[in-house]
Amino acid sequence: MEESMVAATNEENKRLTRRFPEEVATEGNTDVIDEISSEDIIDHSPLGEVRGREELKEQIEYLRTAFGDFSATVEDIVAEGDTVAMRVTLRGTHQGEFMGVEPTGSEFEVGNMVFTRIEDGKIVERWVQPDTLGLMQQLGVVESPAV
């Protein structure tokens, strides 16, 4: 493949991939999942593995209920072949039950790493690794270690 075609494909993959944090997670537009992902998408995260668009939509709704003002800001993005890597900052206020923890009203800001695999212009698999320990510390659920 010509270098210019590879660069164009990498840019297309970046545009496609960043729609997830920007439009789905931040804006809450879960219908975008139908447009940007395969029907049998697989999403791996600390919340477990979900399969398919509907399960993924449910997981996003769960997050947006737990954190009503949830936002995901793309800080860095790199594309190579069929994979896009993003460093994302997650922010929100704990307003609903999350992972068995009742609302604390605490605000949080944590880092998140996301690797996304793309086939035929659709997201087919995601690996999401937020700083869950940092999140739980900021929510006051886990004590920060003494320094």
Side-chain angles (χ1 to χ4, degrees), residues 20 24 30-31 33-34 43 47 50-66:
F20 204 100
V24 177
T30 56
D31 290 340
I33 291 172
D34 294 331
D43 192 270
L47 295 175
V50 296
R51 294 179 173 268
R53 292 173 179 163
E54 295 310 311
E55 281 188 25
L56 187 53
K57 288 178 187 180
E58 288 172 15
Q59 186 176 77
I60 295 300
E61 292 298 332
Y62 170 72
L63 285 172
R64 291 193 50 80
T65 299

Side-chain angles (χ1 to χ4, degrees), residues 1 33 62 73 78 108 127:
M1 195 182 289
I33 291 172
Y62 170 72
T73 305
V78 178
F108 72 90
W127 293 267

Side-chain angles (χ1 to χ4, degrees), residues 3-93:
E3 191 173 321
S4 63
M5 289 178 67
V6 170
T9 300
N10 285 342
E11 288 307 309
E12 288 169 17
N13 287 350
K14 286 185 203 177
R15 273 193 299 279
L16 172 74
T17 302
R18 74 182 304 137
R19 291 185 69 190
F20 204 100
E22 292 172 350
E23 296 176 40
V24 177
T26 300
E27 295 175 15
N29 188 353
T30 56
D31 290 340
V32 169
I33 291 172
D34 294 331
E35 188 181 330
I36 66 174
S37 69
S38 66
E39 281 186 46
D40 57 351
I41 184 172
I42 301 170
D43 192 270
H44 312 271
S45 79
L47 295 175
E49 184 176 288
V50 296
R51 294 179 173 268
R53 292 173 179 163
E54 295 310 311
E55 281 188 25
L56 187 53
K57 288 178 187 180
E58 288 172 15
Q59 186 176 77
I60 295 300
E61 292 298 332
Y62 170 72
L63 285 172
R64 291 193 50 80
T65 299
F67 308 106
D69 58 350
F70 188 78
S71 71
T73 305
V74 177
E75 307 292 350
D76 288 306
I77 187 166
V78 178
E80 179 76 31
D82 67 352
T83 303
V84 177
M86 290 185 291
R87 182 174 63 86
V88 179
T89 300
L90 306 177
R91 295 176 184 86
T93 306

